[in-house]
Amino acid sequence: RPLRPGRVALGGGLYAEDEDAEQAVDWAELSEKFEELFATLSSPLADIISDVERGRVRKNAELGLHAIIELAQAEVHRLLTVGDFEMALDGAKKTLHFTQTLFSSNCEELIRSQMLLARCFYHMGKFRKAEEFFSLANWRLLKLGEDLFHIRVELHTGYGLLFVQLQLVDKGVFGVVTECVLSESIAWSSRSVDSGAVLPPR
């Protein structure tokens, strides 16, 4: 499950201090920890003689960087939920920076960060910027070539709402209808697997 926002603590990663904490993330501290861990991951670690120990240090740094990105994404989701859109937008920009720094190639984490930023722009009423990042996320999803249905559903939902705001009603309806079709497809697949029924041909 997603990490809950809380105080940063290192132990192979970043973890919330308390399961029930709703404490806001300190973005300055999070950025500092990210830069520190990324420097460790990128450095030759010449002072460590053992190859095994160097591997362990790099693995821990990598786990910490992944945890920072997960924590940052969770915090942006929380800020969007409570309606703090300006803070969410600032956090989403930092989250995308973390993701682009760690991942040099296309990946699911990068798509999620771009979609989060698009959602923030949407809620701020910056619809053209939202369209830009939804389009980038869609392009990356197509390039990735994986059947990430839930991301595709979320992406098409965002597109649908966005195009309604842009008064492109036909495209908006298309996005919402596509979401419904995909959702029904996922539900049908689950029912069919549970019941042992034969799936319809694609």
Side-chain angles (χ1 to χ4, degrees):
R1 59 186 176 80
L3 296 176
R4 299 286 294 279
R7 185 172 299 168
V8 173
L10 284 175
L14 299 177
Y15 302 94
E17 182 186 48
D18 190 319
E19 283 254 348
D20 298 320
E22 291 295 344
Q23 176 184 346
V25 162
D26 184 334
W27 288 100
E29 183 180 2
L30 208 61
S31 297
E32 182 181 339
K33 291 293 184 183
F34 184 91
E35 296 302 328
E36 175 188 322
L37 288 172
F38 189 74
T40 299
L41 186 65
S42 307
S43 68
L45 301 176
D47 56 325
I48 301 177
I49 299 175
S50 167
D51 289 341
V52 173
E53 181 64 14
R54 275 199 297 270
R56 186 190 67 80
V57 170
R58 286 201 174 96
K59 183 63 177 178
N60 284 342
E62 186 178 359
L63 289 172
L65 290 165
H66 280 272
I68 286 174
I69 290 172
E70 187 177 352
L71 180 60
Q73 289 176 337
E75 174 67 354
V76 175
H77 276 293
R78 186 189 73 81
L79 291 167
L80 285 172
T81 300
V82 300
D84 194 345
F85 302 135
E86 288 190 11
M87 281 293 294
L89 180 60
D90 186 58
K93 289 177 179 178
K94 290 183 172 65
T95 302
L96 181 58
H97 169 72
F98 294 158
T99 314
Q100 288 174 327
T101 301
L102 182 59
F103 299 102
S104 58
S105 58
N106 195 19
C107 62
E108 181 179 343
E109 289 84 354
L110 188 51
I111 294 169
R112 289 188 180 280
S113 291
Q114 287 180 327
M115 287 173 58
L116 267 179
L117 187 52
R119 285 181 57 196
C120 292
F121 279 127
Y122 171 83
H123 285 293
M124 292 289 291
K126 299 179 179 180
F127 301 127
R128 291 300 176 188
K129 292 294 291 183
E131 183 180 17
E132 175 187 341
F133 281 94
F134 273 132
S135 296
L136 283 171
N138 185 53
W139 179 82
R140 288 190 178 279
L141 184 59
L142 291 172
K143 291 278 287 183
L144 199 60
E146 296 181 14
D147 290 332
L148 302 173
F149 284 108
H150 292 88
I151 291 183
R152 190 173 289 112
V153 168
E154 185 179 346
L155 180 61
H156 286 183
T157 301
Y159 257 135
L161 295 172
L162 174 63
F163 283 130
V164 167
Q165 290 295 333
L166 294 172
Q167 298 182 340
L168 300 176
V169 178
D170 290 341
K171 289 185 178 180
V173 170
F174 171 77
V176 174
V177 168
T178 304
E179 176 217 351
C180 294
V181 171
L182 284 169
S183 298
E184 181 59 28
S185 174
I186 294 169
W188 169 264
S189 297
S190 301
R191 291 196 301 270
S192 300
V193 170
D194 292 341
S195 63
V198 178
L199 291 175
R202 294 187 177 184

